[in-house]
Amino acid sequence: MSEESSIKKFMFVNRKPPYGTVYALEALEVVLITAAFDQDVSLVFLDDGVYQLRKGQQTKGIETKNFSPTYRALDGYDIEKLYVEKESLEARGLTEDDLLVDVMVLDRAALGALMDQQDVVLSF
Amino acid sequence: MPNIEVNGKSYETDEEGYLVNLADWNRDVADYIAKAESVNMTDQHWEVVDFLRGYYDEYQIAPAVRVLTKAIGKKLGPEKGNSQYLYELFPYGPAKQACKIAGLPKPTGCV
Amino acid sequence: MLHIVNKSPLGHAALDSCLRVAQGGDLLLIEDAVYAASAGTLFEPLMRDALKRFKVYALQPDLEARGVAVHLIEGIAVVDYGGFVDLVARNKTCQSWL
C-alpha cells in the first residue's frame, strides 16, 4: 500500500517538431531516465509534437541523429501510455497509420481531462 | 582526446574510454577494450555484445540495465536474462561495461 | 527577392507574417517550415494562395529528415543545398523570417 502511494502520475507534453529545436530529443531523454523510477508515465503529442512520431524520417541529409526509432524502444521501458491529440493529427492531414508507434488518439476534451489528473506535468 | 591503438590503427575515445565513432568498432577493437577492462571475451560475452549492437541498431540507444536484462531474457532465455549472469560476465555493469566493449555510447540515464 | 522561412506554419506566425507582407518572388522553406509544403494540412489553402504570387521551394534534406518528402503540394519545387545557394546568389536581397 505504501509503495502504491509513492507512485506519481507524470505527464510529458510534447508540442515541438523533432529537428528544428532540441526540445523533442531532450524530452525523450528525460522520459528514458524517468522510466528507471517506476512511475506512472504518460507521453502526450500535440500540435507540431505529433510530427515527432511521423514515419519515414531520414536525417542523413541534415547530418543529425535520427532518434525516431527510439520511440519504438519505449515499450521495452514499460512506457506504454502514448497519447496523440486527434485535432492535431487532423490539422496536419495525418492519421494513426502515419505514426511509427501505436498510440491512443484522444480528442482535446479527453486530453485536457487526462492532464488535470496528473501529479506532475512536464512541458517540452 | 585520448586514442587507442589497435593493429596499428588509431581510434578516438572519450575520457572514459568509450569509442567516439560508432562506425570504428570491430572485433579487434572490442577485444582491446575488453582487455583494458580485464574482461576475457568468451562466446557468452560476445553474445551480449552482439545483442547490444543489434539493440542499438534498431532503437538508436544503449538500453538501461533493466531493459537489457529483460530483452536478453526474451531473446536468449531466462537463465541469461538475469542480472547475476550479466554481472558475472561484466563485473562493472552489463550496461556500462558491455556497452563500452560494444562500441556504444554510455546508456542514457546511466549513473 | 528571396524570402526564407524556417518555422513550422502551424506552430509559429513566421510564415503568416511573410505571406502577409511579402509581395512575391522566391519563397524558400527550410527546417521546420518544410511542413508547410505538405499536402493535407490546415495550412494548405494559404500555401496554394501563396503559390499564385511566389515561386515556392522546399529544401530536400529537411523534407527527408522529417518524413514529409512525399505528398507535397503541387507546384512546390524541391531543391538541394546547391539549389539553396543558387537561390541566394540569384536574388539581390534576402529576408529570413526568423
Side-chain angles (χ1 to χ4, degrees):
Chain A
M1 277 309 267
S2 62
E3 210 171 81
E4 194 81 3
S5 61
S6 67
I7 293 181
K8 288 200 160 88
K9 286 175 181 286
F10 280 74
M11 175 179 276
F12 293 84
V13 182
N14 298 283
R15 296 185 49 248
K16 301 275 198 295
Y19 302 106
T21 65
V22 79
Y23 284 96
L25 177 59
E26 291 287 317
L28 188 54
E29 294 202 334
V30 177
V31 166
L32 291 171
I33 292 164
T34 309
F37 299 101
D38 287 322
Q39 299 295 309
D40 180 354
V41 174
S42 55
L43 271 64
V44 169
F45 299 88
L46 64 106
D47 297 330
D48 282 340
V50 301
Y51 283 134
Q52 293 176 25
L53 303 180
R54 186 81 167 84
K55 273 181 193 165
Q57 298 175 32
Q58 302 283 347
T59 58
K60 227 189 195 111
I62 60 168
E63 291 178 27
T64 299
K65 178 171 166 161
N66 176 6
F67 54 89
S68 68
T70 306
Y71 293 101
R72 290 206 203 96
L74 291 174
D75 192 47
Y77 280 73
D78 295 321
I79 293 171
E80 289 148 354
K81 295 177 179 170
L82 274 58
Y83 302 100
V84 170
E85 193 211 23
K86 186 165 169 278
E87 289 83 351
S88 299
L89 271 186
E90 286 171 358
R92 287 159 185 80
L94 302 175
T95 68
E96 274 183 81
D97 288 342
D98 295 310
L99 307 182
L100 44 79
V101 280
D102 288 335
V103 298
M104 286 165 274
V105 178
L106 300 178
D107 64 24
R108 61 175 64 140
L111 200 57
L114 194 67
M115 208 179 265
D116 272 345
Q117 296 163 15
Q118 303 298 314
D119 296 306
V120 182
V121 176
L122 295 127
S123 319
F124 290 90
Chain B
M1 221 30 111
N3 282 286
I4 55 172
E5 193 92 21
V6 184
N7 296 339
K9 231 189 127 196
S10 181
Y11 299 91
E12 200 180 332
T13 64
D14 68 10
E15 297 79 14
E16 294 178 90
Y18 289 80
L19 276 185
V20 171
N21 303 309
L22 218 70
D24 277 350
W25 188 89
N26 60 51
R27 301 222 155 221
D28 291 338
V29 171
D31 246 335
Y32 181 93
I33 298 172
K35 277 206 182 73
E37 297 268 322
S38 307
V39 171
N40 189 21
M41 294 297 282
T42 65
D43 286 350
Q44 283 78 31
H45 290 88
W46 285 117
E47 196 174 49
V48 175
V49 165
D50 287 339
F51 182 88
L52 276 170
R53 301 274 311 170
Y55 186 96
Y56 191 90
D57 196 45
E58 188 168 355
Y59 299 118
Q60 299 297 303
I61 47 165
V65 188
R66 184 175 59 90
V67 178
L68 171 70
T69 310
K70 201 170 72 176
I72 291 231
K74 217 185 248 177
K75 181 146 189 232
L76 305 173
E79 71 281 1
K80 291 178 178 173
N82 63 76
S83 45
Q84 198 195 334
Y85 174 79
L86 293 171
Y87 271 95
E88 269 166 26
L89 293 177
F90 303 99
Y92 285 95
K96 235 171 165 167
Q97 200 169 35
C99 281
K100 192 188 272 191
I101 296 167
L104 305 183
K106 216 161 122 178
T108 303
C110 193
V111 279
Chain C
M1 72 176 284
L2 174 63
H3 296 273
I4 301 177
V5 181
N6 75 337
K7 301 286 194 301
S8 159
L10 298 174
H12 286 83
L15 186 51
D16 277 320
S17 300
C18 168
L19 296 181
R20 193 180 67 237
V21 174
Q23 295 297 303
D26 289 333
L27 169 59
L28 174 62
L29 307 170
I30 63 168
E31 298 170 20
D32 287 339
V34 297
Y35 290 119
S38 283
T41 78
L42 280 185
F43 203 83
E44 180 172 349
L46 290 163
M47 207 64 237
R48 286 197 179 277
D49 211 40
L51 279 161
K52 294 173 193 159
R53 290 184 288 140
F54 294 91
K55 178 74 190 137
V56 182
Y57 304 86
L59 195 62
Q60 175 87 9
D62 285 327
L63 289 166
E64 286 172 357
R66 291 160 182 78
V68 294
V70 287
H71 307 308
L72 300 184
I73 297 169
E74 214 177 305
I76 294 182
V78 173
V79 291
D80 57 13
Y81 291 121
F84 188 159
V85 174
D86 289 341
L87 278 170
V88 174
R90 196 192 306 153
N91 282 279
K92 208 170 78 197
T93 51
C94 169
Q95 158 71 7
S96 286
W97 298 81
L98 301 172

